[in-house]
Amino acid sequence: LLPPSTATTELQYSRASCSTTLAVMAVTSFDGQFSFKQDSLARLGRRDTPKMNSDQYAAFQNSPFMQGVRKTEDLCWTFTCDRDEKRKKTDPSFKPSDDDFSTQKAHEFDRCINYYKVLGIDEFAPLDEVKKAYKKLSLVYHPDKTTGLSDEQKEEYAAIFIELKNAYLTLGDNATRRQYDRDRDRDKASFEVNGFKPKTRAQFDATEVLKKLQEMQKPPGKVIDVPVAVKLEKFFYGGHKAIKRQKRVKDFGSFKHETRIYRVDVPKGAQEPHEVTFRQGGDHHEDTRPDTVHFKISSKPHAIVERKGEDLVMRSRVGLGVQAHTDPYLSAETPSVTGRHILLWGRNPFYMNAPSGQGELRVQVKGEGLTPKGSLHFTCRAGLAPQVPAAEPPRSASSASRTSASSRRPGGPNPDDDQVIVTIKHMQTDGKLFLRVGKAMTIGEIRSKVMDVLGLPRSATVRMLQQFSGGFTPFPDKQPLGAIRSMNCAGTAWTGVAFNAARSKEFLKDIVSMSDTPAFQAKLASVAKAAAAGTSNSLRLQAEIWTSLSTILPEYGLEPVLSVMQERVAQALQQVQGLPDATHLIKRIDALNDAAKSSQKGVSGHPGGASAATSTHGLREFLQMHKLGPPGGFKDSAAAAKGSDKRHGRGGLCEAPAMLRRQARRQQGEPTCQVVLEQLGEAMTLFTRPTCSVVFYTNLHQSRSSSSSSSSGKFLEPRPTFAVSISSPPCAKKKAHFEWINLKASLVPLLRMTAFHMFRACRGILPRSLASAPAAAGESCEDPSREMPWKRMGDEAFKQGDFFMATTFYSRCLEEMPPDDVGSDPLLVAAVLSNRAACLAKVGHFQASKEDAQRSLEKRPNWGRAWSRVGLACSKLGEAQEALAAYKNAVAFDPSGANVDALSSVVRQLQPPDIDRAHAEKESGNTAMRANEFGMAVACYTVGIALTPPEVKAAVPDGVPPDDEHALLRSVLFSNRASAFCRLKNWQNALADGQVAVDKKGDFVKARNRLGTALLGCGQPEKAYVEFAHALKLE
């Protein structure tokens, strides 16, 4: 073949180029993206890349770009080598190889995502740790573990699980992990060389999740019980309590203490102790989960009232006055909790019923307790002057002098001058404790000593309280004792020091040791010598024998007095009787008793000696001087005592005038009255500042039982009594204390004068004023035109339950009415006959009741009340058909709730369920509705409802009751009757029927519409809108 010419070559080249262009265009035509590269190929064709020569290549290799590339690669290789060395230390099984970078990837990873944070592991973690982290997180985010979550949460967990799976596929394969690490190292090296920040994407971080899972696997922490005392008002009104407490928390690997405020809600009337738990809200620990804080909230002792369950009991009695038995009316007032004040007024039950001037009125005010079911109990005392409770009761001077003197008694352990006796009283049990402590001791040290003396465990709660104007508050532990000599205590209940056999033995040992001291032996000898000589100070020395030993009693929490010493020694001797090594102690105590008894005999050999005779003579002279002795004198009474069986002989002290009067009063007993007050009406808000409300209480509902007597006294009938409670919850706070005082000062006197005249019931028990002129001034009392209000008198007797008297009054009214032809009022005659029929039915005369009701219908045929009287009488007489017809007419003329219920009851008693009859009554009701006879329609629908078979409500094995096959008919009947009630403007009955209709058949449109109409009539447009919306949605 000849070589082609230049033209041929160009032709062939052009043809080849055209073919290539056409082929590229063909490919491009089938590609819908039309990228820039494809477009360039279509226009220009394929071109060969020109190659660089050696000079150009050398210049390119020395360019800054290539130098940066080489520097980046070198730094990347350094990072990779360092990573491999660190992985070898954490994972001995790791063996890096250069072939790992050429191996096919197990997963197409995204180097912009930090898969180590996705799994919550370290970058040098071994493969086993990767697998464990993936398994832990899969148990949380796997789709099979998201049952019960919302759709949105399920989608979120599914996306997180995909990230977890990608991370595991990348890091779980060694070669893929090394390639992923090298790509991330290259990005890191490029950032350090060129300053290009690596790209990152939002990802899931499992670090916190794994920490929580790790914490959950730790054993639970301790449960810390924290007792908290709040004011009683917090339980009365409800509220919250902010509690500050130090908490130990983690802080970057170490621990620190911070103050946390716990907010605890105290519901109104909560039981004590009210417990609130903050799970894992306590101190943090290294090996366990955080502690659980368990607050036990109880009330502080209140100065005025005491809590007993849901009730409040007044601590002190309320005085009615010294001469209260001479006043026909009583009045008293007393504070309750802070923000409450009670005023009491009413008829005095002790008026002319308390010869001694003494009496006890026990008052119970329902609704004034901690809950609506609780009550306030307090006792009013006749013969006791009214007292205003002091802000702080004075300390007993006798106890102070006794405690101060006891520390200086001779013969004891000679306490230092800085030691005193402190009296501690428990607020709830009234138990008392006497301790010898130093003046420099703090309240916290005294509290520890109280726990040691009582033998209480360290978990017990002991709070030393101080009193202020609003109640009690705890002493600070660091406060010194100072001049305090008596304190109140609360917390764990105790009544006194409990002595067991071991403690009694220790007590007797201390007494024997003290009796062996030279000081006590010298005192015993001086007493014996003085008694033998008959000196004047012998009695004082005799009393000091055991009194000197009683100085040891405060070490055991007992009062250092002679009577307590003797009682405790006797009890200790009984408790140590069974101990084998207590024989010596018993003999020593008996010897000590014999020495004391022998020293107490006088000169004549009898106890008391001449001094006893002298004191007896002075006592007789005192009684005779004040005319308290026997009528004939002590000489005659002594002579007559031999033949008498009385304690003091005939004519002795038992027959003294004062003793006889006292005995008569005791036999008669003090009168007692129990009053139970209940709320009268609703609370009335007063627009004061601060806002308060007033609630009235009365006992008019209380039955007046006949007075009876018992061994303890005479019980009186309750008289009409009223109370007013002033309540201002904002004043219960401490900062509003003065506002409450000012409010009471301005409001209480006003209410005391006017509050009990606001109600008619209160004014009814007041004495009525005399008229300024005679009732029939200028007129003759024999005026025949003045008629007796027999009907009104009968109505009042009927309301009071005196049906026989009411029947008599109605009969007199009928007798004095003019005949029918003269012009009597037929409506009045019908009303009187109907009322007498009701009275006769109440006393069981049903035949006479029926006759009066029928006579009433003759005067007023369309009166529903008379028809109901006929229906009641016929039902009691067994005339079922007549009763049914009468009640049906009663409903037709007066479709009240009582008549409807009576008609339904008669139908159910008379006829069995009949579905066909029910349908027939429904059609009759529809006919009556179209004729605008709405009362008759109600009667027909009521009969239809009563004839419908009852719904099956018995339980079945699977717990699901069967469907009601007559639900539609039942819903239609109730719905139609609701429509009839709506036409009659009887909205409440229409609302009840509409609700039943919707409950029976929720998809019945008419039932929804009629329920909405009834709601509109009852003034509830929002609920009516909902029902109309349901109906519109259904149809």
Side-chain angles (χ1 to χ4, degrees):
L1 295 175
L2 295 175
S5 62
T6 304
T8 306
T9 302
E10 291 178 356
L11 180 61
Q12 291 176 351
Y13 179 77
S14 301
R15 186 170 58 187
S17 299
C18 291
S19 300
T20 303
T21 303
L22 290 173
V24 172
M25 291 180 65
V27 173
T28 304
S29 64
F30 285 98
D31 190 348
Q33 296 182 357
F34 289 98
S35 64
F36 177 77
K37 184 176 180 180
Q38 290 171 342
D39 187 58
S40 298
L41 288 174
R43 289 187 295 102
L44 303 176
R46 186 182 301 278
R47 291 185 178 184
D48 296 333
T49 304
K51 296 182 179 180
M52 292 184 299
N53 54 27
S54 59
D55 296 336
Q56 292 175 342
Y57 182 75
F60 176 71
Q61 291 295 330
N62 294 327
S63 64
F65 171 76
M66 289 303 297
Q67 290 178 4
V69 170
R70 285 192 298 271
K71 190 175 181 179
T72 301
E73 290 295 331
D74 293 341
L75 188 58
C76 176
W77 179 252
T78 302
F79 289 159
T80 302
C81 293
D82 292 343
R83 183 185 295 275
D84 292 342
E85 291 299 327
K86 292 180 180 179
R87 279 196 62 186
K88 287 180 182 179
K89 294 179 181 180
T90 58
D91 187 4
S93 62
F94 173 65
K95 295 179 180 180
S97 174
D98 293 339
D99 296 337
D100 295 338
F101 299 109
S102 60
T103 306
Q104 185 179 0
K105 301 177 183 178
H107 172 67
E108 289 296 332
F109 55 79
D110 186 356
R111 70 168 182 260
C112 298
I113 298 177
N114 190 345
Y115 291 121
Y116 293 103
K117 285 189 176 181
V118 172
L119 292 178
I121 60 176
D122 187 69
E123 293 187 359
F124 312 106
L127 295 178
D128 294 341
E129 190 173 343
V130 174
K131 188 175 182 179
K132 290 180 181 179
Y134 174 69
K135 285 186 175 181
K136 286 182 180 179
L137 295 171
S138 297
L139 294 176
V140 179
Y141 295 101
H142 194 277
D144 294 342
K145 305 295 182 180
T146 58
T147 305
L149 300 180
S150 62
D151 294 340
E152 183 178 354
Q153 289 179 325
K154 287 183 178 179
E155 293 178 2
E156 181 182 357
Y157 277 36
I160 293 175
F161 180 72
I162 292 175
E163 292 187 29
L164 296 175
K165 187 175 181 181
N166 293 339
Y168 176 69
L169 293 176
T170 301
L171 304 180
D173 182 71
N174 188 38
T176 308
R177 179 177 178 179
R178 293 199 69 200
Q179 296 178 30
Y180 169 74
D181 290 339
R182 181 157 187 175
D183 289 349
R184 289 177 60 81
D185 290 341
R186 183 177 287 108
D187 291 342
K188 182 179 178 182
S190 176
F191 172 71
E192 294 188 3
V193 174
N194 302 318
F196 299 133
K197 187 176 181 180
K199 295 181 180 180
T200 57
R201 294 182 183 176
Q203 61 191 14
F204 171 71
D205 191 353
T207 306
E208 296 297 329
V209 177
L210 288 176
K211 287 182 180 179
K212 291 182 180 180
L213 293 176
Q214 186 178 3
E215 289 290 335
M216 292 175 60
Q217 292 176 356
K218 292 182 180 180
K222 298 180 293 183
V223 178
I224 307 299
D225 292 334
V226 181
V228 179
V230 299
K231 295 194 301 182
L232 182 61
E233 285 78 6
K234 193 73 70 177
F235 287 90
F236 187 86
Y237 296 107
H240 73 277
K241 173 71 175 178
I243 305 171
K244 292 184 179 180
R245 193 171 184 273
Q246 290 291 327
K247 179 182 176 182
R248 182 171 177 258
V249 297
K250 289 184 178 180
D251 183 26
F252 297 103
S254 61
F255 292 93
K256 69 175 183 179
H257 288 82
E258 64 179 17
T259 302
R260 178 182 173 182
I261 299 178
Y262 298 86
R263 180 187 173 93
V264 178
D265 291 329
V266 182
K268 179 180 179 180
Q271 297 292 330
E272 293 188 35
H274 176 60
E275 300 180 357
V276 180
T277 303
F278 288 85
R279 297 190 180 278
Q280 300 186 11
D283 295 341
H284 289 197
H285 302 282
E286 189 69 33
D287 301 329
T288 62
R289 280 179 273 175
D291 295 340
T292 296
V293 182
H294 188 68
F295 291 104
K296 293 184 176 180
I297 305 173
S298 57
S299 62
K300 300 177 184 177
H302 200 272
I304 299 175
V305 296
E306 179 183 1
R307 176 174 183 174
K308 289 188 177 180
E310 297 181 347
D311 298 342
L312 294 176
V313 181
M314 204 76 68
R315 291 183 179 272
S316 58
R317 295 178 296 181
V318 180
L320 296 177
V322 179
Q323 301 295 329
H325 63 290
T326 62
D327 193 346
Y329 297 93
L330 61 84
S331 62
E333 63 179 271
T334 177
S336 179
V337 296
T338 306
R340 290 267 175 149
H341 196 82
I342 305 295
L343 300 178
L344 188 71
W345 180 85
R347 295 287 296 273
N348 189 359
F350 307 117
Y351 179 61
M352 305 300 292
N353 287 325
S356 63
Q358 305 289 330
E360 191 175 85
L361 178 65
R362 301 169 186 171
V363 182
Q364 176 186 357
V365 186
K366 292 186 176 180
E368 284 293 317
L370 290 171
T371 64
K373 296 182 180 179
S375 303
L376 173 65
H377 300 266
F378 61 93
T379 301
C380 297
R381 184 76 180 173
L384 179 65
Q387 295 180 358
V388 179
E392 182 177 359
R395 184 167 57 94
S396 174
S398 60
S399 62
S401 62
R402 182 175 64 248
T403 54
S404 61
S406 63
S407 61
R408 297 189 297 270
R409 287 193 178 102
N414 294 327
D416 298 333
D417 293 338
D418 60 346
Q419 288 190 342
V420 294
I421 303 295
V422 176
T423 305
I424 300 172
K425 178 182 178 181
H426 199 284
M427 296 294 296
Q428 297 175 349
T429 62
D430 292 336
K432 285 188 177 182
L433 200 65
F434 299 86
L435 295 179
R436 179 181 289 109
V437 297
K439 293 181 180 179
M441 292 182 66
T442 62
I443 300 298
E445 294 172 347
I446 296 176
R447 182 163 55 84
S448 300
K449 188 170 183 179
V450 169
M451 297 181 67
D452 294 338
V453 171
L454 293 174
L456 298 177
R458 289 302 172 188
S459 59
T461 303
V462 176
R463 297 190 298 273
M464 314 306 294
L465 306 178
Q466 59 181 337
Q467 191 174 16
F468 66 102
S469 59
F472 295 87
T473 184
F475 278 105
D477 284 345
K478 296 183 180 180
Q479 178 179 343
L481 178 63
I484 301 174
R485 297 297 178 265
S486 62
M487 289 182 288
N488 294 311
C489 174
T492 304
W494 52 267
T495 56
V497 182
F499 271 65
N500 53 16
R503 194 174 180 86
S504 297
K505 182 180 177 181
E506 181 182 357
F507 175 66
L508 295 178
K509 282 184 178 180
D510 291 341
I511 293 176
V512 171
S513 300
M514 185 177 294
S515 65
D516 291 338
T517 59
F520 181 81
Q521 293 295 332
K523 184 179 292 296
L524 189 61
S526 64
V527 169
K529 183 178 178 181
T535 58
S536 59
N537 62 349
S538 60
L539 294 178
R540 180 177 59 83
L541 294 176
Q542 292 165 11
E544 288 184 357
I545 293 178
W546 280 105
T547 304
S548 60
L549 293 174
S550 64
T551 56
I552 199 176
L553 292 178
E555 303 299 329
Y556 292 88
L558 302 175
E559 185 179 8
V561 294
L562 181 61
S563 59
V564 176
M565 183 66 180
Q566 294 174 345
E567 180 182 359
R568 181 54 59 188
V569 169
Q571 294 179 0
L573 289 174
Q574 294 179 358
Q575 290 181 337
V576 301
Q577 288 291 338
L579 299 180
D581 54 347
T583 306
H584 175 69
L585 288 175
I586 296 175
K587 291 181 179 180
R588 290 294 306 272
I589 297 297
D590 290 341
L592 192 61
N593 280 329
D594 293 340
K597 290 179 181 179
S598 62
S599 64
Q600 289 177 0
K601 294 183 180 180
V603 178
S604 61
H606 298 282
S611 299
T614 303
S615 62
T616 303
H617 179 70
L619 177 61
R620 290 180 178 181
E621 288 182 353
F622 176 80
L623 294 176
Q624 195 69 32
M625 178 176 62
H626 293 281
K627 299 180 181 181
L628 297 176
F634 287 96
K635 295 182 178 180
D636 297 340
S637 62
K642 297 181 179 180
S644 174
D645 56 350
K646 291 186 178 181
R647 181 179 178 183
H648 298 121
R650 185 178 58 189
L653 287 178
C654 290
E655 296 182 0
M659 297 298 292
L660 293 176
R661 291 194 299 269
R662 179 177 296 181
Q663 186 177 5
R665 288 197 302 267
R666 187 172 184 178
Q667 291 178 354
Q668 183 181 9
E670 293 183 354
T672 304
C673 183
Q674 177 75 27
V675 174
V676 181
L677 303 176
E678 291 187 0
Q679 185 170 341
L680 178 64
E682 299 294 333
M684 183 170 56
T685 303
L686 303 180
F687 295 98
T688 58
R689 188 174 181 182
T691 306
C692 69
S693 60
V694 174
V695 182
F696 288 84
Y697 296 91
T698 181
N699 71 330
L700 295 179
H701 66 283
Q702 187 178 5
S703 61
R704 301 181 62 182
S705 57
S706 59
S707 60
S708 60
S709 61
S710 65
S711 59
S712 60
K714 179 181 180 182
F715 289 92
L716 303 177
E717 293 182 355
R719 301 296 180 88
T721 309
F722 301 88
V724 177
S725 172
I726 309 170
S727 175
S728 180
C731 292
K733 298 180 180 179
K734 186 176 181 180
K735 61 182 180 181
H737 175 66
F738 293 103
E739 294 182 4
W740 173 239
I741 293 177
N742 296 333
L743 179 64
K744 288 198 300 181
S746 59
L747 185 60
V748 170
L750 179 63
L751 291 178
R752 192 186 299 122
M753 292 185 297
T754 62
F756 298 107
H757 298 271
M758 297 173 63
F759 286 93
R760 182 179 179 182
C762 299
R763 296 193 299 269
I765 67 173
L766 289 171
R768 299 182 180 181
S769 304
L770 293 176
S772 59
E779 298 180 4
S780 174
C781 295
E782 301 295 334
D783 187 3
S785 62
R786 297 181 60 209
E787 299 179 356
M788 287 293 295
W790 297 115
K791 182 180 181 301
R792 181 167 59 84
M793 296 168 62
D795 295 342
E796 293 179 358
F798 185 86
K799 292 178 181 179
Q800 296 176 2
D802 195 350
F803 305 116
F804 287 103
M805 184 60 68
T807 304
T808 303
F809 290 148
Y810 290 137
S811 300
R812 290 292 301 273
C813 182
L814 293 172
E815 292 174 0
E816 294 187 3
M817 282 186 180
D820 296 342
D821 53 358
V822 176
S824 62
D825 186 2
L827 298 181
L828 178 60
V829 175
V832 174
L833 288 172
S834 176
N835 292 352
R836 192 171 70 173
C839 294
L840 293 172
K842 289 288 187 180
V843 298
H845 295 175
F846 298 110
Q847 184 61 40
S849 174
K850 177 183 176 183
E851 294 175 358
D852 276 355
Q854 289 176 345
R855 289 177 57 191
S856 176
L857 288 174
E858 294 175 359
K859 303 293 182 181
R860 193 175 175 183
N862 298 335
W863 194 21
R865 183 175 299 179
W867 281 111
S868 65
R869 309 275 195 235
V870 174
L872 175 62
C874 291
S875 62
K876 296 297 183 180
L877 293 172
E879 301 171 356
Q881 292 294 341
E882 294 185 15
L884 176 60
Y887 274 123
K888 198 168 183 179
N889 289 330
V891 173
F893 296 120
D894 182 15
S896 62
N899 291 341
V900 169
D901 294 340
L903 175 60
S904 179
S905 176
V906 169
V907 173
R908 289 191 178 95
Q909 294 177 4
L910 183 61
Q911 299 177 356
D914 189 345
I915 191 66
D916 296 332
R917 287 281 308 280
H919 279 285
E921 292 293 339
K922 179 179 74 76
E923 295 300 330
S924 299
N926 295 341
T927 303
M929 285 288 289
R930 287 190 289 268
N932 293 333
E933 297 177 356
F934 305 120
M936 183 56 68
V938 171
C940 294
Y941 293 140
T942 302
V943 175
I945 291 171
L947 292 175
T948 305
E951 183 179 358
V952 179
K953 294 184 179 180
V956 293
D958 58 355
V960 180
D963 295 335
D964 185 10
E965 58 179 342
H966 305 296
L968 179 58
L969 175 61
R970 211 181 309 274
S971 179
V972 169
L973 288 171
F974 277 103
S975 175
N976 292 354
R977 193 169 72 173
S979 177
F981 277 130
C982 288
R983 297 295 185 90
L984 294 169
K985 302 296 190 299
N986 194 340
W987 303 113
Q988 293 297 331
N989 289 338
L991 177 60
D993 282 353
Q995 190 63 54
V996 175
V998 171
D999 293 341
K1000 299 302 180 184
K1001 194 71 174 175
D1003 55 352
F1004 186 34
V1005 179
K1006 290 185 177 180
R1008 294 281 184 180
N1009 283 330
R1010 284 156 185 173
L1011 177 58
T1013 304
L1015 288 169
L1016 278 178
C1018 293
Q1020 303 178 27
E1022 294 86 357
K1023 295 182 179 180
Y1025 174 83
V1026 174
E1027 298 301 329
F1028 289 139
H1030 278 296
L1032 191 61
K1033 185 177 180 181
L1034 292 172
E1035 185 178 342

